[in-house]
Amino acid sequence: MQEIGPGQRVLRTPRSAGLAGVGFALLLAAAIVLVRLGIPEGADAVTAPGFADSAQRRALRAALALVPFAGIFFLWFIGVIRAHVGAGEDKFLATVFLGSGLVFTATLFGAAAAASAVLVLARPAGLSPLPATWDFGRHLAYTLMTEYAMRMAAVFVSSMSVIGHRLGVLPRWLTLLGLLTVITLLFVSSNVPWAELAFPAWSLLLGVHILMAGRREGPRPAVAG
């Protein structure tokens, strides 16, 4: 934290937050793309590629391997941001920021578990599952990801944007982009395929901005006392 006047503080976000944001964005985007390719949302239940196409199953396995690491990077990002906001944080916004981030991570892991169940059901002992079973697992995975995880991501983006705006650490264009991301995640992601990529895209821009801002600031002086 940096003092700018009586009772006023400005967040100086470390580069580790930028690295965490970039890492999370790339991992989440890759996982979403691979899940979309591995479990086609609109495919017919009987002819879905997951029943016979080994490439689709490999894509889904790769996505499931990436999700835990995406969650780790995301939690790291949250922790670094909160640690450096410190005593100057708004308790209400800080609670919303932390809560939405934790719920998003838990829901993302739930979606991954549902997708994993679809993968297992795709070839139980070399046999094809019943169409109803396939549809249930696929629908559960997409519902958790697009209906719930992305709504929590929208809350996270909005709270982060407000915090960044109040502390003056986010440029106006990134704050406005955060608003557009919130609208997309709240009202579009559940109906438009691939719209959930708006969240990792915003996270990537935020992480890159933090890295660039840290480079412009240069080395930080030691704080006495």
Side-chain angles (χ1 to χ4, degrees), residues 39 45 50-52 57 60-61 64 113-140:
I39 311 178
F51 282 102
R57 296 195 300 275
L60 186 54
R61 288 192 186 97
L64 296 176
S116 178
V118 171
L119 182 64
V120 173
L121 290 173
R123 287 286 179 174
L127 300 176
S128 297
L130 295 175
T133 304
W134 168 272
D135 272 348
F136 173 78
R138 185 180 55 179
H139 179 71
L140 178 60

Side-chain angles (χ1 to χ4, degrees), residues 45-65:
V46 178
T47 60
F51 282 102
D53 193 337
S54 60
Q56 305 291 346
R57 296 195 300 275
R58 286 196 299 270
L60 186 54
R61 288 192 186 97
L64 296 176

Side-chain angles (χ1 to χ4, degrees), residues 173-188:
W173 67 266
L174 190 53
T175 302
L176 293 176
L177 187 60
L179 176 61
L180 293 177
T181 302
V182 169
I183 295 174
T184 300
L185 296 177
L186 282 177
F187 304 109
V188 179

Side-chain angles (χ1 to χ4, degrees), residues 130-153:
L130 295 175
T133 304
W134 168 272
D135 272 348
F136 173 78
R138 185 180 55 179
H139 179 71
L140 178 60
Y142 274 112
T143 298
L144 286 172
M145 182 173 71
T146 61
E147 293 281 351
Y148 297 99
M150 290 302 119
R151 265 46 183 271
M152 286 298 98

Side-chain angles (χ1 to χ4, degrees), residues 58-182:
R58 286 196 299 270
L60 186 54
R61 288 192 186 97
L64 296 176
L66 293 177
V67 168
F69 295 98
I72 292 171
F73 272 86
F74 187 62
L75 292 177
W76 178 22
F77 175 75
I78 294 175
V80 172
I81 292 294
R82 293 201 73 234
H84 284 261
V85 169
E89 69 181 2
D90 181 292
K91 299 301 181 183
F92 172 78
L93 287 175
T95 301
V96 175
F97 175 76
L98 176 61
S100 59
L102 294 179
V103 175
F104 166 79
T105 305
T107 311
L108 179 66
F109 285 176
S116 178
V118 171
L119 182 64
V120 173
L121 290 173
R123 287 286 179 174
L127 300 176
S128 297
L130 295 175
T133 304
W134 168 272
D135 272 348
F136 173 78
R138 185 180 55 179
H139 179 71
L140 178 60
Y142 274 112
T143 298
L144 286 172
M145 182 173 71
T146 61
E147 293 281 351
Y148 297 99
M150 290 302 119
R151 265 46 183 271
M152 286 298 98
V155 177
F156 178 85
V157 173
S158 62
S159 58
M160 181 64 210
S161 297
V162 173
I163 290 173
H165 175 71
R166 286 188 176 181
L167 296 179
V169 295
L170 292 183
R172 182 178 178 83
W173 67 266
L174 190 53
T175 302
L176 293 176
L177 187 60
L179 176 61
L180 293 177
T181 302
V182 169

